């Protein structure tokens, strides 16, 4: 939102700057701006990831499956990606500088829409940037598919059912953000991105 977008009223002339600054600093706009910043950075290529898990064991009674899925994603999936980008663990923060942009989902079946037994409902959607100079190590841009070595490494993870990692298409950052939110309010997802 910009100050120029507000109607020309006495109230907006007096309080418009405060209205715009509070609107732009809301959690919703913060993550939208963060995603747009990642995409617009010329030094990075932003990737989207969806990982589905199988045979998860809850870590604890409260939100155990969610914590197990996030643990598997952060400690197993991202570690495989980071190792493919750089073997030195001391440089992992620079090869994937923003890794917390994730959303956990659990699709529950119903009488009218049952889940198939082979389709695991626990999954994570995420976005992460990678330096352009290293992006070819995880994605083959000429053939438009994931690097074969990384693909093999991710298939070796026994709790990972399926995965899809691809570059975020130009101009689709808002669509991807809306897709991973699926109508949730930012208040519902702040716990994942905090």
């Amino acid at each position: 939102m910009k100050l120029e977008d507000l109607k020309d009223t006495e109230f907006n002339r007096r309080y418009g700057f405060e209205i715009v600054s509070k609107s732009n600093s809301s959690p919703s706009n913060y993550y939208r701006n963060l995603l747009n910043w990642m995409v617009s950075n010329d030094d990075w290529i932003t990737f989207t990831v969806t990982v589905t898990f199988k045979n998860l064991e809850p870590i604890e009674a409260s939100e155990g499956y969610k914590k197990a899925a996030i643990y598997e994603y952060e400690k197993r999936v991202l570690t495989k990606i980071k190792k493919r980008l750089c073997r030195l663990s001391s440089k992992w923060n620079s090869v994937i500088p923003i890794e917390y942009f994730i959303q956990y989902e659990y699709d529950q079946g119903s009488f009218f829409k049952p889940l198939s037994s082979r389709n695991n409902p626990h999954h994570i959607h995420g976005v992460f940037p990678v330096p352009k100079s290293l992006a070819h190590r995880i994605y083959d841009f000429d053939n438009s598919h994931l690097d074969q070595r990384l693909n093999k490494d991710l298939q070796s993870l026994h709790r990972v059912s399926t995965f899809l990692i691809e570059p975020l298409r130009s101009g689709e950052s808002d669509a991807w953000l809306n897709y991973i939110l699926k109508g949730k309010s930012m208040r519902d997802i702040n716990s994942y991105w905090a």
Side-chain angles (χ1 to χ4, degrees):
M1 177 182 279
K2 298 178 186 172
L3 196 56
E4 300 85 39
D5 296 339
L6 295 176
K7 283 185 173 182
D8 188 20
T9 64
E10 181 62 34
F11 182 82
N12 287 341
R13 282 191 292 271
R14 183 175 289 177
Y15 300 108
F17 181 76
E18 185 177 348
I19 292 168
V20 170
S21 64
K22 284 185 178 181
S23 171
N24 289 337
S25 65
S26 70
S28 172
N29 283 329
Y30 171 76
Y31 292 111
R32 191 168 308 282
N33 291 338
L34 178 62
L35 182 59
N36 289 333
W37 177 72
M38 281 192 289
V39 170
S40 67
N41 190 327
D42 291 335
D43 298 331
W44 295 340
I45 293 182
T46 305
F47 286 89
T48 61
V49 59
T50 300
V51 182
T52 307
F53 299 98
K54 62 184 177 186
N55 303 326
L56 283 178
E57 295 176 15
I59 292 178
E60 56 187 51
S62 174
E63 298 183 334
Y65 284 108
K66 177 179 102 173
K67 291 178 181 177
I70 291 172
Y71 176 84
E72 290 293 323
Y73 174 76
E74 291 175 345
K75 300 299 182 200
R76 307 262 196 269
V77 174
L78 279 180
T79 299
K80 293 285 187 185
I81 295 170
K82 290 175 185 177
K83 280 184 181 178
R84 183 67 184 114
L85 291 169
C86 179
R87 286 291 189 192
L88 297 173
S89 61
S90 62
K91 296 192 179 200
W92 285 356
N93 288 338
S94 63
V95 296
I96 299 183
I98 300 171
E99 61 185 45
Y100 56 85
F101 207 110
I102 63 170
Q103 173 67 34
Y104 165 79
E105 287 187 7
Y106 174 63
D107 293 334
Q108 296 180 356
S110 68
F111 178 77
F112 297 106
K113 182 186 166 191
L115 292 172
S116 82
S117 60
R118 59 187 191 105
N119 204 7
N120 197 301
H122 301 279
H123 60 283
I124 286 186
H125 297 292
V127 178
F128 60 88
V130 172
K132 276 187 179 179
S133 60
L134 300 174
H136 69 278
R137 292 187 183 179
I138 63 170
Y139 196 81
D140 183 356
F141 292 94
D142 295 333
N143 298 317
S144 299
H145 62 76
L146 193 63
D147 177 69
Q148 291 180 355
R149 185 171 167 191
L150 179 60
N151 190 28
K152 184 179 175 184
D153 288 344
L154 293 175
Q155 286 178 349
S156 72
L157 298 173
H158 67 281
R159 296 215 191 277
V160 172
S161 176
T162 61
F163 54 88
L164 176 63
I165 301 173
E166 59 186 10
L168 182 60
R169 293 182 197 104
S170 177
E172 293 190 7
S173 60
D174 283 342
W176 179 256
L177 187 61
N178 290 336
Y179 171 71
I180 65 175
L181 297 182
K182 290 188 177 72
K184 296 177 184 78
S185 71
M186 292 306 290
R187 181 179 46 221
D188 296 335
I189 63 169
N190 279 339
S191 61
Y192 305 124
W193 291 348

